[in-house]
Amino acid sequence: MTSLSFRTDLTAPAGSRRRTFVKGRLRLGVLQVLVMTLFLTLFGRLWYLQVFSGADYQAKAADQSVRDIVVQPARGLIVDDMGRPLVANRTSWDVTVDRTLLHKLDTREQAQLLHRIARATGGSYAEIRARLLLCGEAGSKSGLCWNGSPYQPVPVAKDIPQPTALTIMEQNEDFPSVIVDSQNVRAYPAPYGINAAHLLGYLSPITSDELDAAEARNDESVHGASVVGRAGLEKEYDKYLRGFPGYKQVAVDSMGRVLGDSGEVQGRVGDTLVTTIDSRVQAVVERQLAETIKTARATYDPVTHKNYVADQGAVVVMDAHNGDVVAMASAPTYDPNVWVGGITSKELARLYSAQAGTPLLARAFQGQFAPGSTWKPIMTTGAFGDGYGPSSRLDCSGGLQVGNRLFKNYESASYGYIDFAKALQISCDTFFYRVGLSYWQKYGSDESNVNAKDPLVKIAQAFGFGQRTGIDLPGEATGRIADRKWKLAYYKSMKDYYCKVGKQDGSDFLHRFAREFCVEGYQYRAGDSVNYAIGQGDTIVTPLQLARAYAALSNGGTLYEPRVARAIVSPEGKLLREIKPKVQGTVPATKATLDYVDTALQGTPKTGTIAWRFGGFPLDKVKVRAKTGSAEVYGKQSTSWVASYTKDYVVVMMVTQAGTGSGTSGPAVRKIYEALYGIHGTDVRPSTSAIPGVTPPEKLPVFAEDGSILPPMAATAPSSRRSSGRGRRARTRTGGDA
Amino acid sequence: MSLLNPTRPRPHRPASTQSSLARVPQLDWLLLVSTFALLALGSVLVWSATAERTDLTGGDPQAFLRRHLVNIAIGVVLAVMVAATDHRWVRILAPLVYAGSLVGLLLVLVMGSTINGSRSWIVVGGMSIQPSEFAKLSVVIGMALVVAERTENSWRQREVRHVDVLGMLGVAAIPAALILLQPDLGTVLVLVATVFGVIAVSGAPRRWLVALAAGGVGVAALAVAGGVLKPYQIDRFMAFTNPALDPRGAGYNTEQARIAIGNGGIFGQGLFHGSQTRSGFVPEQQTDFIFTVAGEELGLVGAGIVIALLAVIVWRALTISARSEDLFGRLAAAGVACWFGFQAFQNIGMCLGIMPVTGVPLPLVSYGGSSMFATLMAIGLLQNIHLRSQRRVGLGFARSRLDRSRF
């Protein structure tokens, strides 16, 4: 179909008209060739698209018209020692509006619809309207406007009650362009009303960096819409809890609306995490901490002439045999539900704000405080390893002159020459000053000798201070032993600053301190060693470190890595992994030394500093060893400490700016022991103890075939527990230490 | 070649010798078959493009098909009327058609409704009319008429002179300017190509063609350089080279059109089975992007047939033009050929990503009443011209001479 027949006979009757005609015919021919060339071009291009690069475009077509929809299975449960769920899942219902469909309605219908949604969900019309505006659109409000793709349905009401969601779905003819979405979110059943926010942790959406990292190591357990653990157990055991996502292939249209299914890859529900936490103990501990803080804030402090601030607090209850954390509470705390379904920026700001006391910080293992007198049993153990012994007697005077400074005893009381046991019970400061001073004089009077021997520093290191305990919770603080090396390092880092301050005019404390520091700040002086011996100065510990050290005192010197998780169990109930207690070290102390300290500390609740809080307590049946502490903090009220243990449990409690150890924390510690052992007045009724059988269960909860989780068998038949082969737990039923 | 009539008249031969060969004139059946084949294909494609689009059809899968068939029916009636009209009446009515479309274009500017950014439609009694579609037809007829009237009426003036070219340009310029105001760049481009083709075929001096080509390039350069076009308009125009220039608009369309066509492969996904078409990824698929439905569902074979059928129609139009004895017929048929050829190239080229995204329909295939009526009337006009050149075979040279000196 190519050509025309052209008239080529130019011999035709001459004339311009003829020429014009011929010219036109020639041009028609050119035109024909031109048009056909264009059409051939089209065909060539068509071939190029469909045949030559057809595979590419077919892949692209499949890519956009078939979508892999992630079917995220439920995250694993976190249960306590009795199988009570601490973290579970629930369905959250969200109302979303498809903007594209909405804008097909006329203005009046749109307004009607939005009013109807507002009425159904209990929201406000104005807010829903604002949520439907794209950020950057005229009239959009930041914080409310939609930041996502304009083609995605916009959520206008989150986490609405299920009946409301069902109503909207049933009446979908009244709700055009409205889609009700459901998603799995975390739920906190809170057995016995526990909070445990710092233990459990929280989730938040995966970041693009994390996603890239997961892709790089071929980790397919996360995807763009994943939420991952950010703190606590949720973070530490994230890879077990998160399960494995399933995928569903669906055909979608250009708006992303699903047209039909085409195959599914099943996902796997996350594994269940069994913890060492006991909800009943945790509940008691949390309540006692809260009440102690409340009481302290209502109590007048005669030293600072105002009520106690009681701004932070922590309690750790540990199984002394193996370092299992039975309960752990920190104050201030927060409601873990604020993270569910996305936290608001206001809530997030509050969690981080210093004004609200940074509730996100878990004081129990992330807070660091001067240990005060609870340090003394550790020092005693150290002193017994180097020269001192049960027969050693030192003067418990009202004060001790060290260099040009007088170090006073608490309230300047004087008791004469006493032994270590008495010094511990009455918490004599001058006694321990003398111990510290003696070592300083013996080994380290050269103030600039960094490597000078110090048995008291050595014993603190052996008890695990100044290093992470290795608990299976992220973000643990190390604490600090203020020894010679630390002092030199600190001097080096701060020298420039203080020397500069020192050069300025001024004779106030800061300037005088700065000048002195600039010249001799590196020197570890007698005063430093004196302060160190009573847990004052720059030494800081976490309550968890102290609990672990006291557990070593209780169990004969074994230092465990504390653990919160006991086992990982598959959704079908199969035990996947048992997390065994891990020994980190052994304290270099003889049994005689530990026994001596143990006996001495038994005296504290009987006749010592905390005896007035243990009146009527059956100490003969439940032998509580205790040490109180009132750590002084420059410019603040003192920190109240009680560190205590039996042969089963360690209980450490701390409240900052709250006065003395016994005065503020004593009653709470007593109540915790009463709950642990089932003590009613002077009666011990083990059947009423918080944990059946008094001590934490030997066995894991029972995972029944129907999916329910029951308490461990051992708990219902305690007699079988003793024969359970794990010798490290051989102990009497009452937990007493006869 | 074989299709050409071997007994085509040779004007220099005495006409009277052939008078005995008079016979009943026949329609150009190849043109007819191609036209109906395209109409049938178009109907199926429109149906397929809209069957699943409940948001457009309101739940009735055949809604668009039915309206499309009604449009075709009306268009065929119009085509028959045009084909059957005596050529003298065509010439008498031509100025009226031209004037009518000018009025339409003015009305659009005054009271038109804006769709997709240009004011191209007038809504009359629930029907949207797009006068620019009729303007193409009227420009073709108008230009042919101006030259034919001047050259055929005057024995002294047989050469197409500058005045004639200016006349033709004038006839085209007024509707083109009105369309540019809408603005409907695609239609203007089609008009420019058509005008250029008609002027070329009219036998105008070569200088004019060079000047017009140079002028066109100059105007385009000025529009870009002089800031008449806003940057986003240039981006949108150039998006076919790089979809990222206008990712939400023309670039998106280009990319989606390419994906849909590329998804077709050699034999296509099968009618009503194109995943991209079914899911509505390509915008305006029943009108401007109808070719992508052919591409995806009928593949290289089906889409190739669409191109071939259009090529046949353009070829027949050029053949009719070449055979036409009178200047009006020749220019009108050539104009229709240029119009169809360029518009088809522009539309399919846009779908294939080698031409800018400008909203012109695919002749005889796209959904849309105005375009369907105008293109079918043009087909009718081609048949009319064809019939006339056959009649002249029978009626002889004298009749032709008579024609020229009529009035």
Side-chain angles (χ1 to χ4, degrees), chain B residues 60-71 367:
Chain B
D60 176 8
Q62 279 91 40
F64 273 79
L65 175 66
R66 224 175 288 126
R67 271 180 272 164
H68 190 67
L69 290 176
V70 169
N71 286 341
Y367 175 83

Side-chain angles (χ1 to χ4, degrees), chain A residues 539-573:
Chain A
T539 298
I540 46 178
V541 305
T542 67
L544 184 71
Q545 282 176 331
L546 199 63
R548 175 171 79 142
Y550 272 61
L553 289 178
S554 168
N555 65 27
T558 310
L559 204 61
Y560 285 97
E561 281 188 6
R563 63 174 183 163
V564 183
R566 274 192 70 183
I568 289 148
V569 178
S570 78
E572 298 79 32

Side-chain angles (χ1 to χ4, degrees), chain A residues 522-539:
Chain A
Y522 62 92
Q523 295 177 355
Y524 192 81
R525 307 207 287 189
D528 293 320
S529 68
V530 160
N531 254 336
Y532 172 79
I534 63 155
Q536 289 289 157
D538 293 306
T539 298

Side-chain angles (χ1 to χ4, degrees), chain B residues 4-200:
Chain B
L4 293 174
N5 187 348
T7 60
R8 287 183 62 248
R10 309 260 161 171
H12 62 280
R13 210 184 286 171
S16 56
T17 58
Q18 291 189 351
S19 58
S20 61
L21 296 173
R23 52 182 178 144
V24 179
Q26 283 189 338
L27 292 170
D28 187 327
W29 63 271
L30 204 52
L31 176 63
L32 199 69
V33 167
S34 305
T35 304
F36 276 100
L38 270 183
L39 289 175
L41 257 175
S43 305
V44 175
L45 296 177
V46 166
W47 188 15
S48 177
T50 54
E52 299 273 343
R53 303 290 302 278
T54 44
D55 50 329
L56 295 174
T57 60
D60 176 8
Q62 279 91 40
F64 273 79
L65 175 66
R66 224 175 288 126
R67 271 180 272 164
H68 190 67
L69 290 176
V70 169
N71 286 341
I72 289 177
I74 297 173
V76 168
V77 169
L78 288 172
V80 169
M81 282 166 64
V82 171
T85 308
D86 188 279
H87 75 280
R88 280 172 298 186
W89 277 101
V90 171
R91 283 191 172 193
I92 294 169
L93 290 174
L96 288 178
V97 172
Y98 182 78
S101 74
L102 283 192
V103 171
L105 287 174
L106 281 169
L107 279 178
V108 153
L109 289 176
V110 177
M111 48 172 277
S113 48
T114 306
I115 300 179
N116 289 345
S118 58
R119 188 183 278 265
S120 306
W121 280 263
I122 349 176
V123 180
V124 182
M127 250 180 63
S128 324
I129 299 173
Q130 202 178 353
S132 54
E133 292 298 331
F134 296 104
K136 292 174 204 162
L137 181 63
S138 62
V139 164
V140 167
I141 300 177
M143 287 175 70
L145 196 60
V146 165
V147 181
E149 287 295 326
R150 286 188 62 88
T151 55
E152 289 176 15
N153 280 344
S154 161
W155 285 101
R156 284 179 299 279
Q157 192 189 18
R158 288 186 175 175
E159 184 94 41
V160 173
R161 299 247 174 98
H162 302 313
V163 182
D164 301 311
V165 177
L166 285 174
M168 284 193 278
L169 285 176
V171 164
I174 301 168
L178 291 173
I179 293 169
L180 206 53
L181 284 176
Q182 291 181 357
D184 182 352
L185 197 58
T187 304
V188 172
L189 284 177
V190 172
L191 268 185
V192 167
T194 308
V195 168
F196 191 79
V198 171
I199 290 176

Side-chain angles (χ1 to χ4, degrees), chain A residues 25 27 45 50 60 64 254, chain B residues 200 204 256 276 280 295 322 352:
Chain A
R25 273 182 178 268
R27 287 184 185 166
R45 172 71 177 175
Q50 296 196 306
K60 275 191 189 174
Q64 65 177 4
S254 55
Chain B
Q256 290 299 337
Q276 307 301 295
L352 294 172

